[in-house]
Amino acid sequence: MVSSIELELAQLISSTFIHLDEGDRQLLKHFGLTTTQYWALVHLEDPQGRSLSELADLLICDKSNMTSVVDKLEKAHLAKRQRGKDGDRRYTRVILTEEGQALRHKVKSAREQMISTRLSPLGTPTLQALKQALQQSTTLLESQFASGEVPTLIERVISSEPLPVSCNP
């Protein structure tokens, strides 16, 4: 059975994420970007760009979704597709245009300032303690994925729960 502190903590982390994410969404809207487009700009910092597959992996989405995101960035003149090394047509990289680089810098700076403004009232000692606790939590959760433990945990949780009662007569 889960303890109340574990449930409360999971709910607080989820609530914190939702509030931070919604603030990001509202900020990015002023720049004409979605959250996914913003993160694509962030991950295209390297002048050599990235492949669609690399971007999809970094943004945790499938390549077809990434194609749509890059299409929109191209339409806005923020990114362009470029052939791979030595003109290899089998491999396409996405790179930012100068306009895309300038927007990435401007939006990243605005987002960082917003994060600071929103979280600084907590004070440095609280922020440091929170950071340490979240780092420990992240390390634990990442190790569960890396070791392949998560599917086993899911199966264990599912099999230990009673089946839902049917509402049909």
Side-chain angles (χ1 to χ4, degrees):
M1 187 85 177
V2 68
S3 70
S4 64
I5 188 76
E6 292 164 341
L7 276 176
E8 287 177 49
L9 184 57
Q11 290 169 340
L12 284 170
I13 291 170
S14 293
S15 179
T16 299
F17 168 77
I18 288 167
H19 287 95
L20 287 171
D21 192 55
E22 180 58 18
D24 281 353
R25 192 190 66 70
Q26 289 180 28
L27 174 69
L28 297 172
K29 186 177 179 182
H30 287 278
F31 292 95
L33 296 171
T34 65
T35 303
T36 305
Q37 290 169 336
Y38 167 75
W39 285 110
L41 291 178
V42 168
H43 289 297
L44 288 170
E45 191 165 15
D46 184 340
Q48 298 299 312
R50 294 189 183 271
S51 70
L52 286 172
S53 296
E54 289 172 316
L55 275 175
D57 288 345
L58 288 166
L59 297 175
I60 312 171
C61 66
D62 32 88
K63 194 175 168 185
S64 62
N65 289 347
M66 201 69 255
T67 298
S68 173
V69 170
V70 171
D71 286 346
K72 290 174 184 168
L73 292 175
E74 275 189 312
K75 188 174 182 179
H77 307 288
L78 300 173
K80 61 183 177 180
R81 287 175 172 89
Q82 192 173 57
R83 287 187 179 171
K85 295 176 183 168
D86 301 321
D88 186 346
R89 293 183 353 186
R90 296 170 296 166
Y91 184 68
T92 302
R93 298 190 69 75
V94 180
I95 62 169
L96 290 183
T97 62
E98 286 184 28
E99 188 177 339
Q101 291 171 9
L103 182 61
R104 182 193 67 236
H105 177 73
K106 186 176 181 179
V107 178
K108 275 182 73 173
S109 294
R111 182 175 177 270
E112 289 168 6
Q113 185 177 354
M114 186 162 160
I115 289 169
S116 177
T117 301
R118 293 183 79 196
L119 296 181
S120 66
L122 292 173
T124 301
T126 299
L127 290 172
Q128 288 175 336
L130 185 57
K131 177 185 172 189
Q132 183 179 3
L134 288 173
Q135 282 178 326
Q136 289 174 339
S137 175
T138 297
T139 299
L140 170 67
L141 298 174
E142 284 176 346
S143 72
Q144 291 171 351
F145 274 104
S147 69
E149 188 179 349
V150 172
T152 304
L153 292 172
I154 292 170
E155 193 58 42
R156 201 175 312 149
V157 169
I158 291 172
S159 66
S160 68
E161 290 184 356
L163 294 173
V165 177
S166 173
C167 295
N168 297 330

